[in-house]
Amino acid sequence: MTEARGRVPGPDVADFTHRFFAAMGARTQPLPGGMRVELTREQLALLENRPLWTLGLWAGADAGLTTLYFAFEDPQTEAAHPGEPLAPGSPRLEQMCGLALRECALGGARLRPASGRGGPLRPFLVFHFVVARVGRSVRERLEPVAVDLVDGAAFPCPPLLDEPLEAMGDGVADAERPRLSVGDAHQRAVDALCRQLADEDPSWYMEALLRLEEELDRLYAYLERATAERPPDRAAVALARARIAELHELSRPRIEVRARAATLLYAPAYWPKPCSMYLSRRRQ
């Protein structure tokens, strides 16, 4: 088990676990100090972020439900059934948080400042963009961009899983009022991401374009030989045109960006700064 990066009271972990698996559509059963969860093969693959086919290596083609038992970290209660411990820093809870960040459309959290650094929290909207380099193959990566909803600044967002986040609960009472709309914030995030992508090395684009041109040259040469041997009929011409259009559409090098999710984050106005300015998870 990895080192716990914080201590969240057991009831908070239990409530998150219940809502998380309810959102997945899994069947759950509360236990004293824990929970029983039944997952389908598809749900288990989604939770563990791996292709469904890999489950067949040990589960078999006709495998049914997988039953998991969890024990919550709660000093007041001992789990009647031994199970995986669900505590901050545990591998399974990290999986659940990762899936929530990947799949949920909108989340909310707050970042508690270190003691002695008061003041109202400021709203930030973090857009989780999926950036895909499309060519002969597709390579995707996640690029989160944060937008200050008060002063409008947009900047690359540090990984939220590394931050000492807290659940928002019923809201944040002591917070500044946002001045940007969601549409304005999204546009600023897109502009910031475009500037970042423009500064990246374009060699991948040139290599993909060269491969596309070489493949088109081979296709044109084949068509020229084929037409020299016999007059082309309409079906052959239509097929050749379709293949050329397919190459241009599927292999044309480009960057595609889509916003996968967003997180409304309440943090001190000086965020992001060195982690020493926040309440350390190890001291909680």
Side-chain angles (χ1 to χ4, degrees):
M1 181 183 297
T2 59
E3 179 184 2
R5 293 184 299 183
R7 286 292 179 263
V8 179
D12 287 348
V13 175
D15 179 65
F16 170 74
T17 303
H18 173 76
R19 290 186 291 110
F20 175 85
F21 285 110
M24 287 189 70
R27 289 192 289 184
T28 62
Q29 177 187 356
L31 301 173
M35 179 178 292
R36 179 179 182 271
V37 179
E38 292 182 353
L39 298 175
T40 65
R41 296 177 65 231
E42 292 79 6
Q43 290 168 339
L44 183 61
L46 184 64
L47 173 63
E48 297 185 344
N49 194 26
R50 62 186 177 198
L52 181 61
W53 63 267
T54 62
L55 296 179
L57 296 178
W58 60 85
D62 298 326
L65 297 175
T66 298
T67 302
L68 302 177
Y69 290 90
F70 298 117
F72 303 129
E73 184 185 52
D74 187 349
Q76 305 298 325
T77 306
E78 295 184 0
H81 300 274
E84 289 187 68
L86 281 183
S90 65
R92 185 67 76 180
L93 190 58
E94 292 287 340
Q95 280 184 347
M96 294 163 61
C97 292
L99 175 59
L101 286 175
R102 291 195 306 272
E103 299 295 331
C104 292
L106 179 63
R110 65 182 178 186
L111 182 60
R112 192 182 348 164
S115 58
R117 298 186 65 90
L121 298 180
R122 175 169 292 190
F124 295 83
L125 194 54
V126 181
F127 293 92
H128 304 276
F129 290 107
V130 176
V131 178
R133 288 181 174 179
V134 182
R136 199 168 188 175
S137 60
V138 179
R139 295 183 179 180
E140 293 185 341
R141 72 180 193 268
L142 188 65
E143 289 289 347
V145 177
V147 179
D148 188 325
L149 296 181
V150 176
D151 66 18
F155 50 88
C157 180
L160 293 184
L161 288 177
D162 294 337
E163 303 284 2
L165 301 180
E166 295 179 340
M168 288 177 56
D170 296 330
V172 179
D174 185 17
E176 298 183 65
R177 293 181 62 85
R179 299 176 184 173
L180 264 66
S181 67
V182 174
D184 291 337
H186 179 264
Q187 186 59 57
R188 293 185 185 226
V190 170
D191 292 343
L193 180 61
C194 289
R195 289 192 296 269
Q196 175 184 333
L197 296 177
D199 291 336
E200 293 183 351
D201 183 4
S203 59
W204 73 272
Y205 176 86
M206 303 306 299
E207 292 171 0
L209 186 61
L210 179 61
R211 286 195 296 268
L212 174 60
E213 291 176 347
E214 290 174 347
E215 192 162 353
L216 285 172
D217 288 341
R218 287 193 294 269
L219 178 59
Y220 288 134
Y222 168 79
L223 292 175
E224 185 176 352
R225 291 195 302 271
T227 55
E229 296 174 358
R230 61 180 182 180
D233 55 27
R234 291 184 178 180
V237 171
L239 183 62
R241 289 176 177 175
R243 177 54 181 160
I244 293 172
E246 181 184 35
L247 280 175
H248 278 290
E249 177 64 25
L250 298 181
S251 300
R252 174 176 52 87
R254 62 195 182 275
I255 292 180
E256 296 180 351
V257 177
R258 67 184 186 275
R260 184 67 176 272
T263 302
L264 178 60
L265 176 66
Y266 285 89
Y270 50 79
W271 182 78
K273 294 292 183 181
C275 60
S276 61
M277 303 187 76
Y278 306 112
L279 188 63
S280 171
R281 287 178 179 263
R282 293 189 174 91
R283 293 202 301 267
Q284 295 185 40

